Amino acid sequence: MKRSHTVAALLLGGISPVLFACGEDSPEEATVYPSVEACTAEMPANECAAAFATAREEHLKTAPRFASREACEAEMGDGACTPANEGPNDGGGSSLGNVFVPAFVGFMIGRSLTGGYSQPVYFDRQGYARSGSTRIAETPLPPQRRDEIRQGSGGVASSSGSYYRPGSGSTGKSFTVTTTGRSAGFGSTGSSRGFSGS
Amino acid sequence: MERVHTTPRPQWQAKLEEIGFPFHTEADGTAYWDESAYWRFSLTEIETLEAAAEEVYRLCEEAVGYVVTRGLYEKVGLPRWAAPAIEASWAEREGRDMALYARFDFAWDGKGGPPKALELNAETPTSLYETAVAQWCWLQDVHPDADQFNSLEEALVERWQARRQAFPALASQAEAVHFACLMPHPEDEATIAYLQTLALRAGMTTKAMPIQAIRYDDASGRFLDDSGLPIRHLMKLYPWDWMIREETGRELVAAAAQGRIRMIEPAWKMVMASKGLFALLWELNPGHPNLLQTSLDRTGFPAGATVVAKPLLGREGSNVSIATLDAAGLPIGQPIAQTEGPYVDDGWVYQAYTPLAESDGNHAVFGVWMAGGTACGLGIREDRALITGNTSRFVPHMIASD
């Protein structure tokens, strides 16, 4: 076969690529779900719940830890952090103590011939997206859309729990990144000529 | 090969929008994505195109090496002072400065002669998403059991995986890949997003940003992103030969030459992207069946030859003209076809005219995609005009199952 087994379409208004599979032999696919509900629309509920639980466990194990909400938000963005002991009981018995971690904004389910996996997804302040021990690509979203997703998923309280909760104490707080250097000046030629590749 | 008329899928616009491709219609209401027809190929024809692309790509690599080892930068319209970045990256072309992708344009009517390479878009090839995703989904909808020359997505994920392996800091997520293009620019932003998605599948950390927001820190010699973090790997959907002539172009050349920033595509790709490379290809491989006579000098063609003039560093089919030349290399009468555009400053390359595949007045150019040196996909652009431009329609294809 000379065609790809799957392709990753950019889902308009979604958080993630959605993979379309060709045949049953898809070697590898991964989909990011912003909520358990979004997942159940496409997959059996028990698989979604299990994936969520796995992602959360992975998150608790591997998420960057911060000693305070301020330190966490400085890296991850305003309202993006949650105390590690907050949220649904993961049942795994792991404890991060009194620290703050970025709340995850979705979870990614991947499959391959060697089995499935599930990972948490969250954005940091600089717009990098990470997944568990692996950071993942920032999705094709402008920052405001990213914020909408955060806000949106922040409001979701499902039977699996709310996995993103904007920090209540962080409203109105600003964070300024120190900008060094000067503008590199790239883009001027294309801006004046118009550019659309070759 | 055959151009087959067909009925578009009901709500085809909505279907394209659903998969993240809202760019199916031009501003004037004409279709850019055109599924009122498709091209059907035999497997043998596809394998012929595939082999031709890999062969000519190999020749292109040789020609780049020829330019680099002899310092013939003027010959391809590039300034000598860009050489340090080009040469340093060329030395690491098998590893840390590997190529990601490119797209050939082939002319071929399938009537016995071999496919002829018109050019290689080695730096900022367009129609990636149309090729890899939109026509894949079209095929899945209308001919789910049929095949298509299109493993582009898988091939690109493999390229990202190879890059990840070449950089331990990418593998450990200590470093990220920044993706930059002009913003706002919805089409390019979508392309960037798609490339990011593929890098994600290869396990990379990425970040998208406007190319205009890149900063340069004179003290450290580093380029910085909009958060003030250093950019170690930059995938830019923007031509090298523009960047080096912009404000910090020389700083970019120095940073790339010293490996402080790794560019995708690497600097050696600006040699490969020059239309002048095809003049050198002909010089080095005269009479090659997959090449057309090409020269920087229009007096070398036989009297009465029909010749295409293209800007050395042109894009989007701009400033191209087709004319019949006399013995002195001067056009006889009016050009057969020509396009306007801004690329008039950097010299010209002349190429023997060869007809594209044609059906019912539609002229089709076959875009063969390369991931590194491997041919991995086909995207077809059609136009009523002889010169393919950035509004030429994208028409899907399939491989006949017989």
Side-chain angles (χ1 to χ4, degrees), chain A residues 3 5 126 133 177 189 196, chain B residues 140 154 173 207 227 246:
Chain A
R3 58 190 287 208
H5 294 82
Q126 285 83 26
S133 55
V177 174
T189 319
S196 49
Chain B
Q140 189 70 5
E154 286 170 1
Q173 297 111 41
K207 173 175 172 164
S227 299
E246 292 173 343

Side-chain angles (χ1 to χ4, degrees), chain B residues 1-4 38-42 45 396-400:
Chain B
M1 68 183 75
E2 185 186 6
R3 186 180 193 270
V4 183
Y38 63 88
W39 285 83
R40 187 169 61 197
F41 296 87
S42 69
E45 286 169 334
H397 83 276
M398 60 173 274
I399 302 173

Side-chain angles (χ1 to χ4, degrees), chain A residues 45-137:
Chain A
N46 61 331
E47 284 186 32
C48 291
F52 174 85
T54 309
R56 173 145 191 97
E57 202 170 313
E58 178 68 19
H59 174 62
L60 289 171
K61 270 190 249 166
T62 63
R65 297 160 167 97
F66 300 90
S68 68
R69 183 184 295 279
E70 288 67 31
C72 181
E73 291 189 349
E75 175 157 345
M76 307 308 296
D78 295 337
C81 297
T82 183
N85 54 3
E86 197 180 281
N89 183 359
D90 60 291
S94 64
S95 169
L96 296 172
N98 188 23
V99 299
F100 287 79
V101 295
F104 63 93
V105 297
F107 57 102
M108 180 169 78
I109 300 180
R111 291 179 182 185
S112 67
L113 293 175
T114 54
Y117 63 91
S118 174
Q119 291 184 322
V121 174
Y122 48 92
F123 295 114
D124 69 16
R125 173 177 288 278
Q126 285 83 26
Y128 297 92
R130 318 178 184 193
S131 177
S133 55
T134 308
R135 293 179 184 181
I136 65 164

